[in-house]
Structures are given as C-alpha cells and as structure tokens.
Amino acid sequence: MPIFFAARALLPEGWAENVRFEVDARGYLHSVQRGSTPSGAELLQGPVVPGMPNLHSHAFQRAMAGLAEVAGATQDSFWTWRDLMYRMVGRLEPEHLEVVARQLYIEMLKAGYTSVAEFHYVHNDPQGVPYANPAELGGRIAQAACSAGIGLTLLPVLYSYSGFGAAAPSEGQRRFINSTDSYLSLLPQLAATLDDTQRLGLCFHSLRAVSAEQLTTVLGATDARWPVHIHIAEQQKEVNDCLAWSGRRPIEWLYDQVAVDERWCLVHATHAEPHEVALMAQSRAVAGLCLTTEANLGDGLFPATDFLAAGGRFGIGSDSHVSVSPAEELRWLEYGQRLRDQQRNRLVGAQQRNVGQHLYEQALHGGAAALGQPVGALSVGQRADWVVLDGADPYLSSVPAESVLNRWLFAGGDRQVRDVMVGGRWVVQAGRHRDEAASATEFAKVLNTLLA
C-alpha cells in the first residue's frame, strides 16, 4: 500500500501538519493520519491540497480559444461568438476531438484540476447524421480523459431545438441534435465506454434546446442518482426570450416544471434575481460558475455574495477554455464581486476569513457534488486526487499554512503547481506531464488542419 507524507496538508477540518496518507489498490485513501512521521513514506515536496473538480467543459472549444477576439461589423456578443463556434464544429472529425480533448485535459492537470465534467453535445457527423456507432464522439472524450489521466464525468447533452417553444434547429446545430428516444438509447452505449475513474450524468443543453416534456421524460427514465446539468440564464437575451415565450424567467420556469435538488448543476445562472437566488440556495443545486468564459463572452456577473450568504453551493468550470486555470477562475469570481461593489474581500465565511481558502474549499465541495464523484477532500474513502504546490517557491514557503491559498490564488498561479495525483497515480511530476510533448505535437497538427 503506497504511503505518502506531507509536512502540510489541507484536510476537511483545515490545515494539518505532518500528515501520512495510505492509498489502497483502487486509488482511494485508506488512512489519513495527522501528527505522524515520514518513516517509510514518499515525501511530498510542498503543501498538499485536494485536486479541484472542473464542473463545466466543452473540450472542442479549446481549439478556437483566442480566435474570436476580433471586432466584427456589428456589436459583438455571445451570439456572434457562437457563429464562429459553429464553423469550427463543422470541420471537427472524431480523431480531431480526441487529440484536442487530450491536450486540454493535460493542461487542466498541470493547472491543478484533477477531474472534469464534460458537457458533451457534438454527437453526429458533419452532415448531422449519427455515426454507425452513435457513441463514437463520447467514446473519444472518454479515451482522451483516460490517456491524460484525469477523472471524468461524461455529460451527454440532449439538444433538440434552436429556441423556446420547440423551434426547429438551425443548420449549424445539426451535429448536436438528438430526439428523446435516441438520447435515451445513447446513454447505455456511452456508459459501456467508461473506466473506473469515469461516470455518466444527465445533461440538458438549455431550456431553449429542450421541451418540458423532454425534461420530465428523461428524468423519469434514468437513474435518480445521476448528476443533472443545464445551461441557464447565461445571457440577457435568453432571459428576455423566455419571458416572451412563457411569462417566466428561465430559473423560475425550471423550478416550476421539475423538482430541482442537490444533484442539479445550474451552469452560469448569471442573470438571477433575488428570489431565484433564494430558490437555488434552498434547493441545494450547485451554481456552475465559469468566470473567465463569462467575462470573455460579456455575460455579466453572478450575484455570488448574495448566493453564498443564503447558503448556496458553487463550483467552477473552464467552459470554453479561454483560460484553463482554477486559480484564475477563483480569482475572478472574487474580483468580479469587488468591482461591482467597490469593496474588497467579498466572498468569505463566518468561520473562514481567508478569501482564498474559503473560495477553494467551497469550489471543492460544489464541484465534487456536481461531478457525483468521491473527490474534493483528503479523507478516508475519497479518491486520492491531490495537488502538491511547490514547497520551494518563495511566495508559498514564506507564509503560514493559512495564507498558502491566498498566495497561490491571488499572487501566483499555475507555475506553483508541482505534482498532481489522480486515483493514486502521479500524472504530473515536477510540473511535467508524461505525454505533454507528444500531445502538443499532435495538437499542433490538428489545429493547422482545423484552421487552414
């Protein structure tokens, strides 16, 4: 049984010194002992924190990161960005998707993410026809995650319409489309592609892409323990369109239709009114916040101070992957609230006044719930997913444990991630992933093909 020793580690009850970890053959924590000795153990070279779950990813979009930063002839918004995304999707082949996803997942690991929820909605071939194996593209995602060594919750997306009221899909959406029946038949095929660090969940693209009948049918026909994800209230136009169609705001409408509970992840929820914030917090749904993407697309600011004050749960995701960094997501979650309120240190808890530690711990808990996986804590029975920060870094080595996360999240970044473990196996050591050079070479070839 492998044994590891950390001089400092962030446990569920807070920072502890001289911690000894034993990892079983499945890659789970068998024992965690405080105040121990390093005898017979592998020494970890810096402060140890649980690996961060990434609760929202569209892997293929990493290929277009940074390419939409050219002003168009009209006022740019999410909707003009989406046109470029559709053009990229039209050229994507299965082998391209696997290479892009593997490169992305390696970058995630090097930044400190140890598991990811892949919001996967590209199902069909470029003509909109299902592949001979309908699980072809989802299987490519699973293989990419396995190759990179990251934990995966695969979220195949039900996407049937282009707008509220079951509007017919556009040509650019043809690769995304499934009926209720084809979606339900896809789920067991995808489940058969997953390994021990991977699981399946449910996913509805958005309220504009599915009907109320589809929501209730799919929820009634599937495992009630699976996590459920949906994009909601990301853009003001979406809110306005929902009001025009139903007389209700998106979050209001969803709560009227289905029993939203702790297994739901409401992605973005940017435009939430106070009564909707209260609904989300009371239901224990996780708010899936993707700060760098929401900023890049000009979405707006989620009311995080009010949500946390009401006892709400959140996690973070990198979404379109203009940034692949948990430090940057959490930093901008706090900074957005500061800019809006013109005050400092907005997101803290009654028992935790260190902003960095409060943000990190809350994102761990919410992210683990959204992925439906035993991750996010260094405790017995949890998967051995952890990040070793660089103990030789002067910014981290010069402060007490309680200030480590403030230093990393607000004054440092990815360069301070030294080693990363997933399921008891090292996937990053001394800042390097074993396959990063080969992956980067293949990734460059795919980019040249896609962007030619």
Side-chain angles (χ1 to χ4, degrees):
M1 188 174 294
I3 302 172
F4 305 88
F5 179 86
R8 297 193 288 189
L10 182 62
L11 304 184
E13 61 272 23
W15 285 98
E17 295 185 355
N18 302 323
V19 182
R20 186 181 180 93
F21 300 104
E22 293 186 12
V23 179
D24 68 20
R26 300 178 306 132
Y28 284 69
L29 285 163
H30 175 75
S31 72
V32 179
Q33 302 173 22
R34 305 169 58 134
S36 188
T37 64
S39 177
E42 179 179 343
L43 301 182
L44 303 178
Q45 302 299 310
V48 179
V49 298
M52 181 60 67
N54 183 327
L55 58 60
H56 193 64
S57 164
H58 306 303
F60 75 91
Q61 292 180 14
R62 182 60 171 167
M64 60 175 282
L67 297 183
E69 314 309 310
V70 179
T74 59
Q75 189 172 15
D76 286 319
S77 67
F78 166 85
W79 309 97
T80 54
W81 171 90
R82 191 177 70 163
D83 292 339
L84 175 62
M85 184 267 286
Y86 285 170
R87 293 198 294 275
M88 174 71 73
V89 166
R91 307 192 69 177
L92 196 70
E93 297 293 343
E95 59 272 20
H96 298 154
L97 177 61
E98 184 174 343
V99 169
V100 172
R102 182 182 63 178
Q103 174 68 20
L104 169 66
Y105 295 155
I106 288 172
E107 293 174 8
M108 283 187 187
L109 289 166
K110 293 180 65 176
Y113 289 118
T114 50
S115 52
V116 59
E118 183 62 39
F119 199 107
H120 171 64
Y121 59 87
V122 185
H123 300 297
N124 303 321
D125 73 13
Q127 286 70 49
V129 178
Y131 288 93
N133 170 17
E136 170 73 29
L137 295 182
R140 296 282 186 158
I141 290 290
Q143 182 56 47
C146 183
S147 297
I150 198 167
L152 174 71
T153 295
L154 182 61
L155 301 169
V157 175
L158 178 58
Y159 196 137
S160 300
Y161 306 111
S162 66
F164 294 100
S170 69
E171 183 175 335
Q173 296 164 332
R174 60 190 176 187
R175 300 198 69 175
F176 314 153
I177 302 304
N178 270 295
S179 67
T180 305
D181 288 343
S182 64
Y183 179 75
L184 289 173
S185 68
L186 177 63
L187 295 176
Q189 297 176 65
L190 287 170
T193 70
L194 305 182
D195 71 16
D196 291 342
T197 62
Q198 301 175 342
R199 69 161 299 175
L200 203 63
L202 294 178
C203 196
F204 305 101
H205 179 270
S206 56
L207 295 182
R208 64 181 187 273
V210 298
S211 67
E213 181 182 8
Q214 287 180 304
L215 283 170
T216 55
T217 299
V218 169
L219 290 170
T222 51
D223 193 326
R225 297 168 295 179
W226 286 357
V228 184
H229 290 228
I230 188 170
H231 290 135
I232 196 161
E234 178 181 3
Q235 289 281 328
Q236 188 60 53
K237 180 180 184 300
E238 175 190 348
V239 175
N240 294 342
D241 289 351
C242 190
L243 282 166
W245 167 66
S246 70
R248 305 287 278 169
R249 298 171 60 83
I251 296 171
E252 291 176 324
W253 189 91
L254 179 67
Y255 276 78
D256 284 346
Q257 298 297 317
V258 297
V260 177
D261 58 20
E262 67 274 1
R263 70 184 181 122
W264 282 75
C265 179
L266 306 185
V267 182
H268 304 304
T270 314
H271 298 281
E273 292 293 298
H275 67 287
E276 295 172 309
V277 169
L279 280 174
M280 292 172 61
Q282 291 162 10
S283 70
R284 304 298 290 156
V286 175
L289 307 181
C290 308
L291 287 303
T292 57
T293 291
E294 290 155 9
N296 183 268
L297 296 177
D299 289 343
L301 290 173
F302 177 76
T305 50
D306 294 343
F307 184 63
L308 266 64
R313 302 191 300 170
F314 77 88
I316 56 169
S318 52
D319 195 350
S320 68
H321 313 301
V322 289
S323 171
V324 184
S325 168
E328 190 169 4
E329 298 297 335
L330 291 172
R331 181 183 307 155
W332 279 102
L333 174 56
E334 168 68 19
Y335 282 178
Q337 307 300 295
R338 293 186 187 190
L339 288 167
R340 182 199 62 208
D341 299 341
Q342 299 181 52
Q343 295 180 359
R344 299 189 70 252
N345 300 329
R346 304 303 295 138
L347 300 174
V348 295
Q351 305 302 317
Q352 180 53 261
R353 308 306 292 175
N354 283 294
V355 177
Q357 186 166 333
H358 186 66
L359 289 173
Y360 198 83
E361 290 178 329
Q362 294 299 308
L364 287 174
H365 300 155
L371 268 66
Q373 297 216 27
V375 297
L378 299 180
S379 58
V380 172
Q382 298 290 93
R383 200 165 67 214
D385 289 11
W386 66 56
V387 171
V388 182
L389 298 173
D390 186 1
D393 183 277
Y395 295 97
L396 302 182
S397 63
S398 61
V399 295
E402 290 73 19
S403 297
V404 163
L405 287 170
N406 283 342
R407 281 284 213 191
W408 178 31
L409 300 181
F410 290 100
D414 302 348
R415 63 178 176 77
Q416 293 167 321
V417 174
R418 188 185 192 280
D419 308 311
V420 179
M421 176 174 283
V422 177
R425 298 178 181 178
W426 290 117
V427 290
V428 174
Q429 290 186 287
R432 294 188 61 81
H433 186 282
R434 63 184 182 274
D435 295 332
E436 65 180 63
S439 178
T441 298
E442 290 188 60
F443 182 57
K445 292 178 181 177
V446 167
L447 288 183
N448 286 329
T449 298
L450 291 175
L451 303 177

